[in-house]
Amino acid sequence: MPIKVPSDLPARAILERENIFVMDEHRAMNQDIRPLKIGILNLMPLKEDTELQLLRSLSNTPLQLDITFITVSSHESKNTAQSHINKFYEPFSAVQGQRFDGLIITGAPVEQMEFEEVDYWQELVEIMDWSQGHVTSTFFICWGAQAALYHFYGLQKSLLPQKLFGLYPHQVLERKEPLVRGFDDVFYMPHSRHTTVTADLIRTCRDIRILAESEEAGVFAAMADEGRKIFVFGHPEYDRLTLEKEYLRDKNKGLDIQIPKNYFPDDDSSKRPLLTWRAHANTLYTNWINYYVYQLTPYVW
């Protein structure tokens, strides 16, 4: 898929080395089509890593995507250079007059805080409310999904006894739903979180349908409003080494962190992890773009 991003975005060079088609502004303007406008509200601390992961995940459809990275103004990132954010991101105030075909709201490492204690919570609420009338389909990831369930439906997250960390098997519950079309009966996905919204609690809300879940990890994917809201509670966009980096980071800090489950061969952290979730992750994002964005969005907003 041609992804339209700024020519000097650092992730672009890496994607091109992987033979992922990244289109510049000049070539995009010469194509007589309307690209899909996709906003990415990136709340993760290592923004450049997340940019690369999401762009790679979105690269498996023939549709042209025009990507806009969005940031909140009520929080100052401590792990990404402000110069990078100033150059490649738009504050929400600059895009709120626009309409987007799709919006991704990422997770954030604030899950052990109460939602209202997060410094950008009110701005995030404003963005989620804005998306109702300005976005065809919004894809909420991990803490972003928990935040959306809390804001829209009043469903509260709960603290897990220990961090859910590793690769977990999941089962598809509604095979006819296009979001999980092409999935195997059992598929593995990464999780890295301290909190959850239980399946029993989600099932109390008639507006939400659970599409895939795990006995160990709980709900993986759910949706509401006929796909206008997609909730994904794991991290399908993670790269091969993301969990390893998190594990080593916490271990070097002296934190009580268990080895990621089902991740290292033979649970030996000296062995290179196998990438066993990429195909399903690509299918998930492609299905979202195709069935819930492209086929539903108007040609002219």
Side-chain angles (χ1 to χ4, degrees):
M1 173 193 66
I3 304 175
K4 180 174 173 287
V5 296
S7 58
D8 49 353
L9 183 75
R12 179 190 175 109
I14 299 173
L15 294 169
E16 288 179 334
R17 287 199 297 271
E18 296 177 5
N19 291 322
I20 292 174
F21 182 17
V22 182
M23 180 177 290
D24 60 29
E25 292 87 344
H26 176 73
R27 183 165 183 180
M29 290 175 62
N30 289 323
Q31 289 196 326
D32 188 21
I33 59 174
R34 184 179 84 76
L36 296 174
K37 290 185 62 176
I38 306 296
I40 298 178
L41 178 64
N42 188 356
L43 303 173
M44 294 292 279
L46 301 177
K47 298 193 185 302
E48 293 184 55
D49 288 353
T50 303
E51 292 161 13
L52 178 60
Q53 292 167 7
L54 288 173
L55 291 176
R56 186 183 283 127
S57 296
L58 293 169
S59 66
N60 289 278
T61 160
L63 302 169
Q64 184 187 135
L65 303 188
D66 186 353
I67 305 294
T68 299
F69 289 106
I70 304 170
T71 186
V72 291
S73 301
S74 45
H75 176 80
E76 182 176 342
S77 177
K78 298 179 178 63
N79 298 280
T80 301
Q82 191 61 42
S83 59
H84 179 88
I85 295 173
N86 292 341
K87 187 172 186 178
F88 298 113
Y89 281 72
E90 297 283 351
F92 171 62
S93 59
V95 302
Q96 64 185 121
Q98 302 178 31
R99 295 181 183 273
F100 287 81
D101 303 299
L103 175 68
I104 295 174
I105 297 181
T106 72
V110 294
E111 59 195 279
Q112 297 184 77
M113 300 170 62
E114 296 296 329
F115 291 113
E116 291 84 359
E117 293 176 355
V118 177
D119 57 4
Y120 52 82
W121 175 248
Q122 290 305 318
E123 188 173 3
L124 179 59
V125 165
E126 183 183 0
I127 293 170
M128 289 191 289
D129 287 341
W130 164 87
S131 71
Q132 296 275 80
H134 292 78
V135 179
T136 299
S137 179
T138 303
F139 192 105
F140 301 93
I141 302 174
C142 200
W143 180 82
Q146 296 181 9
L149 291 185
Y150 176 70
H151 173 59
F152 289 120
Y153 306 101
L155 303 183
Q156 182 61 271
K157 59 184 170 65
S158 54
L159 188 66
L160 293 166
Q162 65 176 9
K163 184 177 182 179
L164 185 71
F165 190 43
L167 289 175
Y168 295 87
H170 304 77
Q171 297 79 39
V172 173
L173 302 183
E174 295 200 26
R175 182 160 298 283
K176 292 183 180 179
E177 181 58 46
L179 186 68
V180 290
R181 186 166 293 170
F183 275 49
D184 295 326
D185 289 336
V186 177
F187 62 95
Y188 280 78
M189 283 290 179
H191 289 263
S192 178
R193 50 190 167 88
H194 293 273
T195 57
T196 191
V197 182
T198 66
D200 288 343
L201 183 58
I202 293 175
R203 286 191 170 97
T204 66
C205 183
R206 292 186 176 182
D207 294 334
I208 304 172
R209 295 164 54 204
I210 297 175
L211 306 181
E213 65 178 329
S214 164
E215 290 185 6
E216 295 178 85
V219 176
F220 171 72
M223 62 179 281
D225 293 349
E226 298 182 333
R228 290 183 62 86
K229 299 188 189 78
I230 303 290
F231 312 101
V232 171
F233 297 89
H235 283 284
E237 77 284 353
Y238 268 11
D239 292 334
R240 179 194 303 269
L241 300 180
T242 306
L243 290 176
E244 179 182 46
K245 291 177 181 177
E246 291 186 10
Y247 171 65
L248 294 176
R249 176 200 66 196
D250 290 354
K251 186 177 179 181
N252 291 336
K253 289 181 179 180
L255 300 178
D256 182 20
I257 182 68
Q258 73 272 22
I259 193 168
K261 192 167 185 178
N262 303 318
Y263 179 61
F264 293 110
D266 305 317
D267 284 338
D268 183 346
S269 61
S270 68
K271 294 183 178 180
R272 181 175 172 83
L274 297 178
L275 185 58
T276 58
W277 64 93
R278 176 64 56 78
H280 285 92
N282 288 347
T283 300
L284 178 71
Y285 283 99
T286 300
N287 286 347
W288 173 61
I289 289 293
N290 183 25
Y291 295 111
Y292 303 91
V293 179
Y294 173 66
Q295 294 194 25
L296 298 181
T297 198
Y299 185 83
V300 178
W301 270 98

